[in-house]
Amino acid sequence: MKKIDLIIPCHNEEDNIERFFAAASETENSIEDCCFRYIFVDDGSTDGTLDKIKALEGAGYISFSRNFGKEAAMYAGLKASAKGDADYAVVIDADLQHPPELIKEMLKKLEETGCDSVAARRVSRKGEPVIRSIFARLFYKIMNRFSEIHLADGVVDFRIMSHRMVKTIADMPERCRFSKGLFQWVGFDTQWIEFENVKRVSGESRWTVWGLTKYAIDGFVDFADSPLKAAGVAGSVIAVGSLLYLIAEIIKTILMGKDTPGYASTICLILFFGGVIIAMLGIIGEYIGRMYIETKARPVYVEKESNIENHK
Ligand code: UDP
Ligand code: MG
């Protein structure tokens, strides 16, 4: 009997829980010799999500003391799965945008190819705001160009993983988590399955423009140190350039005497360098901020209650 853990991050999904459970159970029955263990992670929902989960027969859950974000919810689920004895774990959204029936196909591909992970990739971004698609595409371009990992376009947090891969990820205690990057960073063979984007069955996407921007910056800074290097290079180039300019000015003054006062050029240079320095401090600040958060070593989430034993 194959055991598969389903990790489902939920934040205010009261209308979707039952529908999701029904669809997932149907998938479970359609796969031969296999049983699912449900790990619903209630990420500080303020509606009836937790009650809906508790009412499901045989569903495991972890409930947070407040909203810690989807990354924290996935981490909690992965840790619980790593402590258990499941053969595989699946991370999947509760809003049915990740069709549960795809798990069957994913499992088949995983077993056929003997790889460690099969991940879903959206082939279209239909039903998504155009602006969001444009920025998402731009983000993947920049990420792949400048960071140490390669993200496939359209990759979503929907994948099946072997137990050893789950363990590896659960053992990474970093607080600034960007799972799409972590899944890639740990290595192991990954195969892809394509699917059409589907609209949310109920409720709104939890992402705000600011939330997505922060998520993109997090993802980039977590996996790339090229901005630091670029800042260093740019700083050195500007420093050498201004030194040459200074020498030229001194020689000019010695040879030709005092020039007319160059107020405009002076103020331009001061403003220019002021801007460059502040921009670079900003970049360095992003990294120092992250070091600050990591060194404080606060937990990624705080659990309020759970019915899953021995998962911490
Ligand atoms: N989610 C969560 N915590 C949050 C926001 C979202 O656990 O703070 C869950 C949400 O319930 C859903 C999944 O993460 O199951 C994806 O969220 P959403 O549908 O809002 O994102 P999108 O599909 O628009 O990327
Ligand atoms: Mg969604």
Side-chain angles (χ1 to χ4, degrees):
M1 184 80 129
K2 281 170 296 216
K3 290 188 190 164
I4 304 182
D5 281 346
L6 252 58
I7 298 162
I8 314 121
C10 311
H11 177 63
N12 292 348
E13 301 280 5
E14 62 178 355
D15 292 334
N16 296 328
I17 299 291
E18 281 158 3
R19 254 183 292 214
F20 173 84
F21 190 68
S25 303
E26 202 174 300
T27 304
E28 179 183 8
N29 295 332
S30 74
I31 305 174
E32 245 173 72
D33 203 25
C34 152
C35 83
F36 285 178
R37 175 172 75 142
Y38 294 84
I39 307 176
F40 284 93
V41 186
D42 164 38
D43 183 13
S45 299
T46 48
D47 63 357
T49 300
L50 185 57
D51 295 329
K52 285 268 158 91
I53 296 171
K54 282 181 179 169
L56 301 174
E57 205 181 320
Y61 65 86
I62 301 169
S63 179
F64 289 176
S65 61
R66 65 167 169 86
N67 180 239
F68 281 91
K70 186 186 175 189
E71 288 291 333
M74 285 196 285
Y75 181 48
L78 286 168
K79 276 214 310 198
S81 178
K83 285 275 156 77
D85 62 348
D87 301 292
Y88 310 111
V90 173
V91 182
I92 183 168
D93 280 3
D95 58 8
L96 290 172
Q97 276 188 302
H98 299 163
E101 59 271 16
L102 216 62
I103 296 174
K104 190 174 179 179
E105 218 177 299
M106 287 172 145
L107 180 67
K108 199 166 145 230
K109 194 152 190 172
L110 189 84
E111 291 183 327
E112 272 174 14
T113 59
C115 61
D116 275 271
S117 170
V118 176
R121 224 177 71 184
R122 281 191 298 202
V123 282
S124 79
R125 290 179 163 271
K126 254 190 289 180
E128 190 185 69
V130 183
I131 293 282
R132 182 169 162 181
S133 304
I134 294 174
F135 278 105
R137 290 236 163 76
L138 187 69
F139 168 70
Y140 287 117
K141 280 229 169 73
I142 296 177
M143 190 79 188
N144 291 338
R145 177 76 182 75
F146 294 105
S147 79
E148 56 175 318
I149 50 164
H150 182 88
L151 292 181
D153 186 24
V155 56
V156 292
D157 297 321
F158 178 25
R159 62 169 71 215
I160 186 168
M161 284 167 279
S162 64
H163 194 61
R164 61 175 178 188
M165 183 162 168
V166 171
K167 266 194 164 143
T168 313
I169 294 170
D171 276 345
M172 298 171 93
E174 52 191 277
R175 269 134 262 277
C176 305
R177 302 185 76 82
F178 179 68
S179 292
K180 287 188 175 108
L182 291 179
F183 292 144
Q184 208 60 35
W185 186 90
V186 293
F188 296 113
D189 268 350
T190 300
Q191 298 282 334
W192 299 95
I193 268 188
E194 299 190 334
F195 77 108
E196 280 276 335
N197 198 31
V198 270
K199 269 203 146 130
R200 231 173 192 284
V201 261
S202 165
E204 286 277 298
S205 168
R206 304 286 174 272
W207 290 103
T208 57
V209 174
W210 172 237
L212 274 175
T213 312
K214 247 185 84 211
Y215 181 64
I217 295 176
D218 275 350
F220 189 66
V221 174
D222 285 352
F223 286 94
D225 59 3
S226 39
L228 285 176
K229 293 199 186 101
V233 171
S236 316
V237 169
I238 292 169
V240 171
S242 38
L243 190 70
L244 292 178
Y245 179 66
L246 188 75
I247 294 171
E249 279 298 312
I250 292 174
I251 295 173
K252 214 169 96 189
T253 314
I254 293 172
L255 293 184
M256 308 200 287
K258 272 211 178 115
D259 206 356
T260 40
Y263 177 75
S265 61
T266 314
I267 212 77
C268 281
L269 286 175
I270 290 174
L271 288 179
F272 175 66
F273 288 116
V276 170
I277 290 167
I278 290 169
M280 284 179 187
L281 280 180
I283 293 173
I284 295 168
E286 276 294 327
Y287 288 86
I288 294 182
R290 245 146 272 252
M291 281 164 60
Y292 177 58
I293 291 170
E294 297 287 352
T295 47
K296 272 194 294 190
R298 285 194 185 143
V300 178
Y301 58 88
V302 176
E303 197 180 297
K304 196 168 66 185
E305 57 174 298
S306 167
N307 65 353
I308 298 173
E309 278 162 27
N310 306 325
H311 65 285
K312 272 190 254 181

